[in-house]
Amino acid sequence: MAKLAQMPRAPLLVVLMLMLLGVGAAAAAVPEYREAPHFTNSAAARCPPPLPATDADAACSPHAAVHVAMTLDAPYLRGTMAAVLSVLRHASCPESVHFHFLASSSSSPEAAAAARELRGTVRASFPSLAFRVYPFDESRVAGLISTSIRGALDRPLNYARSYLASTLPACVRRVVYLDSDVVVTDDIAALAATPLPGEAAVAAPEYCGANFTAYFTPGFWASRALSESAFAGRRACYFNTGVMVLDLPRWRRAGYTAQIEEWMELQRRVRIYELGSLPPFLLVFAGRIAAVDHRWNQHGLGGDNYRGLCRGLHAGAVSLLHWSGKGKPWDRLDAGKPCPLDAVWAKYDLLRPAAAIETS
């Protein structure tokens, strides 16, 4: 486990700037994230040297022990910050973890300013974190997205995971992809080291007892040309795409991004699924992935996609909690209606309330 080093709290630059500019009380309520503790590599883990936080080429450093990819946007920033803190808190070599953030890009000055603000927020809370922010061109996928059962699933950035192989540097061969609504409670290196036998490009916990047919429309299953050809020769099982280990060179060789896009193009013509970015992944990878222990994705803690009711953990050990579903812990906590497990997430919440700012 990482060693905690004492660090000073971040200066309240945002508040001071607002005061100097004469901004009113309403603007001063802009959320401010506090600086996270600094975690150092464990001497017992034989970690590589720490990665430099300011080196643009750190992603290709041989000292990068683990690569983690996530999306970065304002609506889910609070979740992303908590997830990053949880990874570092439990990693044996936190100073040797490199984060890759994909953020929506646009040519407008407003979008550019928003991207700089997101990057600055991450840097202010994690001064020594090795990370890079990559612009994700939403127009690449926007025309392929069809409406789903929940609006949040239709965001173009939700599909960025399909483009990691063409976005990250070629030197990054293996990456752990994490959704923004997770908390890691174990050493991320153990997940990153998951064996991927043969030409498997994806590893994830799979659930062969789940009702796989529910993820596609009756029309899909009624068409033998579609359903039988899609999963021919495969024992297709459900898996959640919020936690995956990806082999990027294998992904590129197989052209998996193009295969995903082909299913999305078909979906635009014939309705074959209802659930955002997950079904295209299932169509391409179900029955082709390397299995990961279920402890690495205790998913569904956000309830279903309609009401987001409280749910408990599945039986077994826990290395990662995942609030997939409509209910997000930060929303329920702010509403004063948390679920029991939301208290676990709250321990990693870096958002400093306005009252704490005023009294610090």
Side-chain angles (χ1 to χ4, degrees):
M1 183 175 296
K3 180 182 178 182
L4 173 61
Q6 297 298 321
M7 293 288 286
R9 292 191 300 176
L12 304 181
L13 294 178
V14 174
V15 175
L16 293 175
M17 289 176 64
L18 290 171
M19 293 173 62
L20 290 172
L21 293 172
V23 180
V30 173
E32 180 190 358
Y33 292 87
R34 66 180 183 271
E35 183 174 331
H38 175 63
F39 299 98
T40 59
N41 288 349
S42 169
R46 296 183 179 179
C47 300
L51 294 171
T54 57
D55 187 351
D57 296 324
C60 293
S61 169
H63 303 317
V66 177
H67 292 274
V68 178
M70 304 181 71
T71 57
L72 188 65
D73 64 345
Y76 284 82
L77 178 61
R78 191 171 172 185
T80 300
M81 300 286 274
V84 172
L85 175 57
S86 73
V87 169
L88 300 176
R89 171 67 181 81
H90 297 282
S92 56
C93 302
E95 295 177 297
S96 304
V97 178
H98 194 287
F99 282 84
H100 306 263
F101 296 112
L102 277 69
S104 297
S105 67
S106 172
S107 58
S108 70
E110 295 80 8
R116 289 194 298 270
E117 184 176 359
L118 288 171
R119 183 185 291 105
T121 299
V122 174
R123 177 57 69 207
S125 287
F126 301 99
S128 59
L129 185 70
F131 75 90
R132 179 176 171 184
V133 179
Y134 304 81
F136 176 68
D137 184 2
E138 293 189 350
S139 64
R140 182 172 183 180
V141 70
L144 297 173
I145 298 174
S146 56
T147 57
S148 65
I149 61 174
R150 183 160 61 92
L153 301 176
D154 301 336
R155 300 178 307 126
L157 196 60
N158 200 41
Y159 292 79
R161 72 197 77 192
S162 301
Y163 297 90
L164 289 172
S166 58
T167 303
L168 271 57
C171 60
V172 180
R173 302 185 60 83
R174 177 178 291 215
V175 65
V176 176
Y177 174 81
L178 298 176
D179 271 352
S180 296
D181 52 0
V182 306
V183 158
V184 178
T185 60
D186 207 340
D187 189 353
I188 194 70
L191 176 60
T194 300
L196 278 81
E199 281 298 306
V202 177
E206 60 179 355
Y207 306 87
C208 294
N211 182 10
F212 190 78
T213 61
Y215 294 93
F216 302 94
T217 63
F220 172 82
W221 295 112
S223 171
R224 296 183 62 183
L226 281 177
S227 58
E228 292 186 4
S229 63
F231 304 111
R234 293 190 272 162
R235 182 173 180 256
C237 297
Y238 163 77
F239 68 96
N240 182 281
T241 57
V243 180
M244 298 183 290
V245 181
L246 305 178
D247 186 300
L248 299 184
R250 293 179 185 177
W251 181 294
R252 297 185 191 100
R253 287 197 297 269
Y256 284 134
T257 297
Q259 294 182 40
I260 290 172
E261 290 178 336
E262 288 173 4
W263 284 111
M264 293 177 67
E265 289 171 353
L266 177 61
Q267 164 76 354
R268 297 283 293 177
R269 301 193 302 269
V270 182
R271 195 82 175 171
I272 59 175
Y273 55 80
E274 304 287 352
L275 197 60
S277 63
L278 171 62
F281 258 84
L282 295 179
L283 286 162
V284 173
F285 293 108
R288 291 174 174 165
I289 70 171
V292 175
D293 192 287
H294 289 180
R295 67 189 300 159
W296 283 106
N297 195 350
Q298 286 273 354
H299 66 289
L301 303 183
D304 60 22
N305 284 296
Y306 298 98
R307 294 183 294 172
L309 299 179
C310 298
R311 287 183 179 174
L313 294 172
H314 307 288
V318 181
S319 292
L320 183 149
L321 293 85
H322 186 187
W323 281 262
S324 57
K326 183 178 181 180
K328 302 306 176 189
W330 52 90
D331 291 332
R332 297 193 294 216
L333 287 163
D334 288 351
K337 299 179 180 178
C339 294
L341 287 172
D342 295 346
V344 178
W345 182 90
K347 295 178 181 179
Y348 301 91
D349 186 11
L350 287 173
L351 185 63
R352 175 178 293 180
I357 295 175
E358 293 170 2
T359 58
S360 60

